């Protein structure tokens, strides 16, 4: 119980400044020291249910993608009995948590943000660099800044949502009670963003829900450090239950449970589709209609107009396509360039690619690390070989998997605008270019809209406003995040709410009020101060 009078206001959020890690900076020294200590450890990661640690004895290993014999952690996989225990623990925790004032809940995540800003920053950055092979900069913008932003902006958006109340007059008071959902929310997180791993369980928790969190096996180390941080920030036991394990087993158990109240997913389109089907097949067993939120795959485009700034375009292709080895849902992977500027663009992009070093991200000179695991390495290599056989490799094309899963940044050119590599998500450092006739700009835009099932991010490069307007219009449904003269990656919480439609997800815009509204079930309350005491209406009087 807590007593408090006053309409609380959370601190006004501002985006966490990105540290540079340039030589000589304090943050560089701190990060290098944490990288060295973490690389020297081999930790054990348990399952945590209702605040208690469980060790199933069924153990899997977490390795470094860039040095895949180096084991960072042994982690325990949840058993079917533990999944049931997690449901019970979340129901127990929900009773108290959902009755906390929203300000008390918000304080837990504001404290988590502060811990991450200060004492925990380099632990989460180092875990993301070693476990997911991100460079210092890619880790900083993700594991530190974006997650801090989620934890500071979501309480602010919650406050704004709770502020929305209905009208009343002197005879009655109407109110909206934004309840959490009845049951548990199942959060399933991807490997590629530590910030998303932190946001998917905590956004529903902030709104008064209890959560069962299944992290990705390939990002288990950073997920574990997030969980420990949340405990330190004061998250009560059982509000978020940490259940790593076999994805199909965990999902099958939870997606058919009567108390499933929602799914908060980010990952591939196929997996989301299969989860939706399982939910559909179990419709008659649920107490409530589960809220299904999923942000999924992308086939993100850059379209250049003949008026494009060639240098800016080349940098956008290189950064947008190859940062974090192209493993961003927003990564530029299909590029359409008019023939009049292609020779200059090609020269500039290849010139940049020749300078992109690939290797161990703890060597700060590297621009790229390894791709996440052997499965991704094989899949991406197959796409590169397809390009070699059916199109032209302009630059790159070498894959080496003996010590780490390294794939060179690769630029492929095709004449066929519906070529496989222009349509399917590759999720690796492969950019495919199609060169079109300058006079066919509008037709090209129509083709871009048609040739992929996704609609996540996209960009137009043009100095000509009317070309920008045409692209904005013809590509209106082709991307949930649209960029003008900028790369299609790097959305910032509070600035570019993120998400896409079509095969890219439910577009519930992580880190915004649009997302939080999915985790509440509003109750309308009408209180009448002077109820009628006569059943008859005036019109019923005799003429
Ligand atoms: P993934 O689909 O392989 O895995 C995501 C999560 O689902 C993991 O926790 C995984 O263990 C779990 N999972 C795997 N198979 C499952 C199954 N059969 N049933 C239930 N759960 C299952 O995705 P990933 O490789 O971790 O991430 C990359 C994908 O995520 C890409 O497609 C990318 O575009 C997408 N992504 C989208 C966004 C976005 O905001 N739209 C953001 C990041 C990543």
């Amino acid at each position: 119980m807590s007593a408090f009078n006053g309409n609380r206001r959370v601190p006004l959020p501002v985006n966490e400044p990105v540290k540079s890690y340039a030589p000589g900076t304090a943050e560089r020294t701190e990060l290098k020291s944490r990288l060295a200590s973490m690389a020297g450890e081999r930790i054990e990661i348990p399952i945590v249910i209702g605040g208690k640690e469980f060790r199933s004895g069924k153990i899997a290993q977490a390795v470094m993608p860039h040095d895949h014999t180096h084991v960072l952690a042994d982690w325990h996989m949840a058993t079917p009995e533990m999944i049931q225990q997690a449901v019970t623990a979340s129901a127990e925790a929900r009773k108290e948590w959902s009755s906390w004032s929203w300000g008390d809940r918000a304080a837990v995540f504001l404290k988590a943000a502060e811990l991450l800003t200060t004492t925990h920053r380099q632990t989460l950055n180092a875990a993301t660099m070693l476990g997911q092979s991100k460079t210092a900069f890619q880790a900083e913008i993700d594991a530190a800044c974006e997650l801090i932003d989620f934890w500071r902006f979501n309480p602010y958006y919650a406050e704004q949502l709770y502020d929305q109340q209905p009208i009343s007059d002197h005879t009655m008071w109407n109110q909206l009670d934004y309840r959490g959902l009845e049951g548990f929310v199942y959060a399933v997180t991807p490997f590629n963003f530590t910030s998303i791993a932190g946001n998917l369980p905590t956004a529903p928790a902030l709104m008064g829900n209890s959560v069962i969190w299944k992290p990705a096996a390939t990002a288990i180390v950073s997920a574990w450090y997030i969980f420990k941080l949340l405990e330190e920030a004061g998250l009560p036991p059982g509000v978020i239950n940490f259940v790593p394990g076999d994805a199909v087993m965990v999902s099958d158990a939870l997606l058919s449970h009567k108390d499933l109240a929602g799914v908060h997913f980010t990952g591939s389109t196929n997996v989301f589709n299969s989860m939706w089907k399982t939910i559909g097949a179990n419709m008659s067993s649920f107490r409530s209609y589960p809220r299904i939120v999923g942000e999924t795959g992308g086939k993100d485009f850059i379209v250049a107009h003949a008026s494009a700034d060639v240098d800016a375009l080349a940098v956008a292709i290189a950064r947008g396509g190859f940062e974090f080895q192209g493993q961003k849902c927003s990564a530029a992977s299909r590029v359409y360039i008019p023939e009049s500027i292609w020779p200059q663009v090609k020269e500039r992009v290849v010139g940049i690619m020749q300078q992109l070093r690939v290797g161990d991200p703890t060597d700060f000179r590297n621009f790229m690390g390894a791709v996440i695991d052997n499965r991704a390495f094989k899949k991406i290599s197959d796409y590169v070989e397809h390009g070699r056989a059916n199109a032209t490799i302009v630059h790159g094309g070498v894959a080496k998997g003996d010590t780490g899963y390294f794939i060179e940044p690769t630029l492929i050119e095709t004449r066929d605008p519906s070529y496989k590599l222009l349509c399917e998500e590759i999720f690796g450092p492969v950019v495919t270019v199609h060169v079109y006739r300058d006079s066919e700009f509008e037709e090209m835009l129509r083709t871009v809209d048609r040739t992929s099932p996704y609609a996540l991010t996209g960009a137009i490069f043009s100095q000509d406003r009317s070309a920008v307007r045409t692209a904005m219009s013809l590509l209106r449904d082709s991307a949930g995040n649209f960029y003008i003269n900028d790369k299609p990656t790097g959305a910032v919480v509070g600035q570019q709410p993120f998400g896409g439609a079509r095969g890219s997800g439910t577009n519930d815009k992580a880190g915004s009020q649009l997302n939080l509204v999915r985790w509440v079930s509003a109750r309308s309350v009408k209180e009448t101060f002077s109820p009628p005491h006569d059943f008859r209406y005036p019109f019923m009087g005799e003429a």
Side-chain angles (χ1 to χ4, degrees):
M1 295 288 268
S2 65
F4 186 88
N5 289 332
N7 292 335
R8 292 169 165 193
R9 294 280 171 256
V10 297
L12 208 59
V14 280
N15 290 114
E16 175 65 13
V18 179
K19 292 185 187 284
S20 80
Y21 297 88
T25 55
E27 67 263 19
R28 186 178 175 107
T29 310
E30 284 166 25
L31 176 57
K32 289 223 165 193
S33 135
R34 190 65 185 103
L35 283 165
S37 65
M38 199 177 283
E41 295 163 5
R42 179 165 172 162
I43 59 169
E44 187 187 6
I45 301 179
I47 296 127
V48 186
I49 298 167
K52 289 202 197 74
E53 295 188 357
F54 292 82
R55 288 172 172 75
S56 65
K58 197 177 167 212
I59 287 176
Q61 262 96 43
V63 300
M64 294 184 187
H66 45 273
D67 180 4
H68 44 58
T69 54
H70 189 130
V71 179
L72 290 166
D74 299 287
W75 58 277
H76 291 261
M77 301 180 80
T79 62
E81 298 73 46
M82 290 174 189
I83 305 304
Q84 296 311 320
Q85 283 171 281
V87 174
T88 309
S90 66
E92 198 50 44
R94 181 182 171 273
K95 287 182 202 155
E96 160 133 6
W97 179 246
S98 64
S99 73
W100 279 30
S101 78
W102 75 268
D104 288 332
R105 293 198 308 269
V108 171
F109 300 106
L110 293 171
K111 164 104 192 231
E114 195 57 20
L115 290 176
L116 182 49
T117 308
T118 52
T119 47
H120 291 53
R121 190 181 200 109
Q122 301 316 347
T123 293
L124 221 53
N125 276 339
T128 304
M129 290 175 70
L130 298 179
Q132 290 135 268
S133 209
K134 290 204 175 190
T135 61
F137 181 73
Q138 291 300 312
E140 168 75 5
I141 59 173
D142 164 23
C145 299
E146 188 169 60
L147 186 48
I148 292 165
D149 286 351
F150 278 134
W151 285 341
R152 289 194 176 138
F153 280 80
N154 275 342
Y156 174 69
Y157 294 132
E159 176 187 297
Q160 291 187 332
L161 178 65
Y162 294 148
D163 266 347
Q164 291 175 31
Q165 292 292 329
I167 54 170
S168 306
D169 65 23
H170 64 93
T171 66
M172 69 178 107
W173 189 4
N174 298 317
Q175 300 176 64
L176 272 183
D177 168 19
Y178 290 95
R179 301 169 301 180
L181 308 179
E182 202 179 3
F184 64 85
V185 173
Y186 179 33
V188 183
T189 57
F191 81 83
N192 69 332
F193 273 90
T194 300
S195 56
I196 298 177
N199 184 48
L200 298 198
T202 54
L206 170 69
M207 305 314 284
N209 296 282
S210 57
V211 178
I212 300 177
W213 174 21
K214 196 212 76 59
T218 39
I220 193 92
V221 178
S222 56
W224 174 242
Y225 285 115
I226 292 170
F227 188 78
K228 296 300 289 171
L229 187 160
L230 289 168
E231 281 187 327
E232 209 175 313
L235 188 75
V239 171
I240 296 178
N241 298 285
F242 182 79
V243 291
D246 177 77
V248 175
M249 184 280 284
V250 179
S251 294
D252 282 353
L254 294 178
L255 297 178
S256 56
H257 198 286
K258 79 169 177 15
D259 291 332
L260 178 74
V263 170
H264 205 189
F265 174 83
T266 296
S268 57
T269 303
N270 284 346
V271 168
F272 187 52
N273 290 355
S274 78
M275 291 171 78
W276 196 304
K277 275 187 203 146
T278 309
I279 294 168
N282 288 298
M283 264 333 287
S284 53
S285 33
F286 303 126
R287 193 204 334 246
S288 312
Y289 289 97
R291 300 280 172 88
I292 310 175
V293 174
E295 306 305 334
T296 56
K299 185 67 188 175
D300 311 293
F301 57 82
I302 294 178
V303 182
H305 181 255
S307 64
D309 170 342
V310 167
D311 289 319
L313 173 62
V315 169
I317 294 170
R319 284 188 169 177
F322 304 130
E323 277 179 328
F324 189 38
Q325 299 78 267
Q327 298 172 117
K328 300 190 183 188
C329 49
S330 54
S333 67
R334 50 184 183 132
V335 178
Y336 303 84
I337 303 189
E339 59 189 2
S340 60
I341 61 169
W342 172 230
Q344 299 102 285
V345 176
K346 179 155 77 171
E347 191 194 320
R348 303 276 208 297
V349 176
V350 171
I352 295 171
M353 290 173 76
Q354 284 163 342
Q355 300 170 57
L356 302 182
R357 286 179 52 135
V358 181
D360 184 335
T362 60
D363 176 346
F364 282 23
R365 292 167 303 174
N366 288 326
F367 182 81
M368 291 164 59
V371 300
I372 194 69
D373 61 8
N374 195 33
R375 197 170 66 115
F377 179 78
K378 285 210 170 95
K379 183 179 150 195
I380 302 162
S381 306
D382 285 351
Y383 275 111
V384 172
E385 290 318 309
H386 198 282
R388 204 184 306 282
N390 299 282
T392 307
I393 302 223
V394 177
H395 192 77
V398 177
K400 271 184 84 214
D402 41 357
T403 41
Y405 304 113
F406 293 112
I407 299 187
E408 263 191 353
T410 300
L411 190 67
I412 293 174
E413 184 185 348
T414 175
R415 288 170 176 276
D416 173 7
S418 39
Y419 176 48
K420 182 181 165 79
L421 271 64
L422 286 173
C423 305
E424 296 175 10
E425 183 178 53
I426 299 172
F427 221 58
V430 181
V431 172
T432 307
V433 174
H434 174 67
V435 180
Y436 68 92
R437 283 205 199 96
D438 291 44
S439 58
E440 291 172 3
F441 177 61
E442 285 197 26
E443 187 44 37
M444 191 71 264
L445 296 174
R446 288 197 177 84
T447 306
V448 170
D449 177 58
R450 266 197 319 262
T451 43
S452 138
Y454 302 103
L456 191 52
T457 75
I460 172 76
F461 273 76
S462 168
Q463 306 287 72
D464 170 344
R465 194 73 213 173
S466 94
V468 171
R469 291 183 64 239
T470 307
M472 282 281 282
S473 163
L474 293 180
L475 298 174
R476 188 155 187 224
D477 295 321
S478 322
N481 282 60
F482 192 77
Y483 294 81
I484 302 167
N485 293 320
D486 206 341
K487 65 182 168 57
T489 59
V492 174
V493 176
Q495 297 188 26
Q496 298 93 22
F498 191 79
R502 295 188 184 162
S504 291
T506 53
N507 199 12
D508 287 295
K509 300 291 187 203
S512 80
Q513 202 189 106
L514 291 170
N515 177 277
L516 299 185
V517 81
R518 302 298 309 273
W519 309 120
V520 295
S521 176
R523 174 171 67 145
S524 276
V525 179
K526 174 186 177 187
E527 179 172 357
T528 296
F529 300 129
S530 51
H533 292 109
D534 184 349
F535 83 94
R536 285 166 296 188
Y537 293 101
F539 79 90
M540 294 162 73
E542 277 185 37

